[in-house]
Amino acid sequence: MTDKQIRELLASMSLEEKLGEMTQMAPNFFGTEDSVDLTGPMKQMNLRSEDVAYLGSTLNAFGAEKLIQMQKEHMARQPHHIPLMFMADVIHGLKTIYPIPLAMGCSFDTGLMEEAAAMAARESAVTGVHLTFSPMADLVRDPRWGRVMESPGEDPVLNARMTEAAVRGYQGDDIAAPDRIASCFKHFGGYGASEAGRDYNTVDISDGTLREFYLTAYKAAVDAGAAMAMTSFNTIDRIPASGNKKMFRKILREEWGFDGVAITDFSAIHEMIAHGIAADGKEAARYALEAGADIEMMSAHYLNYARELIEEGKVDIGLIDEAVLRILQLKNKLGLFENPFKGADPDKEKEVHLCKEHLELARRAAARSIVLLKNEGGLLPLAKDAKVGLAGPFADSVDVLGGWAFADSAERATLLNGLKEHGVNITATAMTQRMGAMQRGIMDVEDQTAELTALADCDVVIAGVGEHPEDTGESASKTVLRLSHNQEKMLERLHDMGKKVIAVIFSGRPMEIRPVLPFCDAVVQAWFLGIEAGPAIADVLCGDVNPSGRLSMSFPQTVGQVPVYYNHMNTGRPLAGKPHRFVSCYLDCPNEPLFPFGYGLSYSEYRYSGLSVEKAVDAEDGTMLKVSVDVENVSDVAGRETIQLYIHDVVASVVRPVKELKDFVQVDLGAHEKKTVSFKVTREMLSYWNNQARVFEPGDFEIMVGHSSEELLTARVTL
Ligand code: NOJ
């Protein structure tokens, strides 16, 4: 349709139709079980069955045949035959599940992220989905928060790069294409800063921290052309995000020029009552309309109260029209007026879902997301003739996909399967009963350490340990981040038996693994890697893939350090040398994390030298410095190195972080190969928010390049 036709359509719609467009309900509100729904959720929301005909979108409905049918029935009922938009939480793949976003962050591979998102788009589009509620661009610093698994991590630059890659992957150049979907970034904003890591909790951060850290990746999503933004559950400046004018009208729309659709998170308008800023649903609806929330997800305050608000002159009809126009424009960009079924195709669905190319990509992504944390004496890769024992609750578990996985079967995903496929000589297994979930009240595996004697003849034991995926994700905050007691005991016992122990950790967050490190000769952080987890882990354990993942989030020494992140501010009493009184430190723990951001081992060894920083002004792209460094693979094994560039502004008008990642590049280095890698440092990279505006201030800067946020060569330059 032309824009003129869209506007004409808008002009011909009744107020109820408009408010329906602005309301999203779950699929069970549609369909034939109206009578059931009327006594349940519909009644609770005070919805009449005729309102269903006006609804503009639904969420988390899947299956080409079903969605084609739903679309037909809905369009027949909708007075202007306006098609529904099908939205869904396709967070890390639909059927071909790839690693959780935190793990994808560890790949530092934006090309891979884009490919993975494009794959998710293909699988979603053939099933009839039009839009995904992804990527989650929330910056995260607190592993107690279960949703860290859905974020690319703690760094704004890495987050931004991963976020824009995901948006590109989902949307391509044209969201109307049959194999693309629209992308909704979330949760705007600052949801990752929930106090004490407790989900849905208050967020209270300074404007500078908000602008420089938390908002960066959302802005990248906007710049990459994301079609939709979702509000968050938290408050910002004491106003809930769904009613927050500063966030939605000022920053998102005025400052960043976002012209897409804004949707609230699930029942977030209703929650303004519990927050205590709205007396009732009517007032909550007014706040959300004023803030510019176009679609209300899973509560019906627009449908129930907007008419009254308009009639009483409390809300201008212009706000409604503006919102509906944006929604219709999105439907039009998706091509739904021409083809309401878009890519939905039951035959293609069978071909595309879990096809060979997709599984290969998921395996590659999984192998690249693994982070090798410890490898004493070069225990890994496994010696070909090693007699291997397998132990632990994740040794033969299918619960390794991670949250938001709508896969039907995960038999291939087990560690045991991967090792078998590689022909690993597994001579014995012990204590492999599956892990319970705290969520379900089972916090541990049974103590069956006596069984471990079965492993007496093995040289090496691979222990699959971790946390249940149900204990990660939304509403899965935890205060204890250690492995469960019996898992820790198992690792200790294996060590005491004189075994070489390889711990493979499955988790959706950095866990507190310091207590078990002395018992483990090697530690492989396997996150939740998706449908190809087992084969990919075995690729790394057996040496077919040289691990190249780097931590996208720091691992705390103890939960008492949390939040602990690499790009913290300078203090007036910094710790230098040993901890002592009256400087900023703990009496009982180092300040540093156990493993810092950017850290990860490989089967290769890299040496950095020759850091050079030259002034190289290019007014056009804002370049101020050219930085180069030599990186040499000093081992006999080819590998991939992620070279990280950090800066530190030595003196500035507001306190600056001790270091900030500004760029990174990945290079493949053959055995004993050396390459020179260069970076440009732009004025923008050296600028920051001085509490009023983004500014560049001349002066001294430290430029650091290296292997992780703690292993760096440093040069100083005056600008
Ligand atoms: C609530 C979650 O916070 C959000 O991330 C998700 O997209 C919606 N529910 C829809 O399922």
Side-chain angles (χ1 to χ4, degrees), residues 91-169:
I91 305 300
H92 52 123
L94 180 67
K95 294 291 170 186
T96 308
I97 306 295
Y98 52 86
I100 55 171
L102 188 63
M104 289 299 290
C106 294
S107 75
F108 274 67
D109 189 337
T110 53
L112 191 61
M113 182 71 246
E114 185 171 340
E115 276 185 78
M119 164 172 81
R122 273 193 296 282
E123 294 200 355
S124 304
V126 285
T127 215
V129 166
H130 304 141
L131 177 144
T132 177
F133 296 132
S134 169
M136 181 177 112
D138 305 326
L139 185 123
V140 292
R141 290 175 169 176
D142 191 334
R144 290 172 299 183
W145 195 49
R147 302 201 81 168
V148 302
M149 63 149 277
E150 295 175 62
S151 159
E154 76 186 31
D155 181 74
V157 169
L158 178 62
N159 260 18
R161 298 260 186 97
M162 284 291 171
T163 296
E164 65 199 13
V167 172
R168 275 198 309 270

Side-chain angles (χ1 to χ4, degrees), residues 551-606:
L551 292 180
S552 57
M553 195 175 177
S554 304
F555 270 51
Q557 306 258 1
T558 139
V559 77
Q561 279 184 317
V562 164
V564 58
Y565 49 93
Y566 86 93
N567 44 7
H568 58 85
M569 296 294 162
N570 263 327
T571 72
R573 293 191 177 193
L575 172 66
K578 282 200 178 136
H580 54 101
R581 298 306 274 261
F582 311 116
V583 295
S584 182
C585 68
Y586 298 105
L587 294 177
D588 58 351
C589 178
N591 282 2
E592 291 75 34
L594 184 65
F595 296 111
F597 174 83
Y599 171 86
L601 302 173
S602 135
Y603 299 150
S604 311
E605 203 187 314
Y606 305 103

Side-chain angles (χ1 to χ4, degrees), residues 65-81:
E65 233 165 86
K66 177 174 152 192
L67 300 199
I68 289 172
Q69 190 55 28
M70 254 178 105
Q71 188 71 296
K72 282 186 185 156
E73 285 170 13
H74 182 77
M75 289 175 70
R77 283 198 283 177
Q78 210 289 340
H80 284 88
H81 314 299

Side-chain angles (χ1 to χ4, degrees), residues 497-519:
M497 284 165 67
K499 301 295 151 204
K500 294 278 181 209
V501 178
I502 300 167
V504 179
I505 302 175
F506 295 84
S507 67
R509 49 161 64 82
M511 298 195 74
E512 191 183 324
I513 57 171
R514 185 174 65 164
V516 294
L517 267 191
F519 312 134

Side-chain angles (χ1 to χ4, degrees), residues 59-60 89 133 147 150 186-187 191 230 233 265-266 297 404 474:
L59 76 164
N60 292 339
D89 286 288
F133 296 132
R147 302 201 81 168
E150 295 175 62
K186 64 189 186 187
H187 306 84
Y191 183 31
M230 187 188 290
F233 290 122
D265 202 347
F266 205 99
M297 183 195 292
W404 294 118
E474 185 177 347

Side-chain angles (χ1 to χ4, degrees), residues 303-329:
L303 269 169
N304 287 327
Y305 304 113
R307 176 177 284 282
E308 260 171 70
L309 286 166
I310 294 164
E311 283 169 2
E312 290 165 11
K314 292 187 177 138
V315 162
D316 190 313
I317 180 74
L319 289 183
I320 308 287
D321 284 343
E322 184 187 286
V324 179
L325 180 63
R326 285 196 282 259
I327 298 165
L328 295 177
Q329 280 169 338

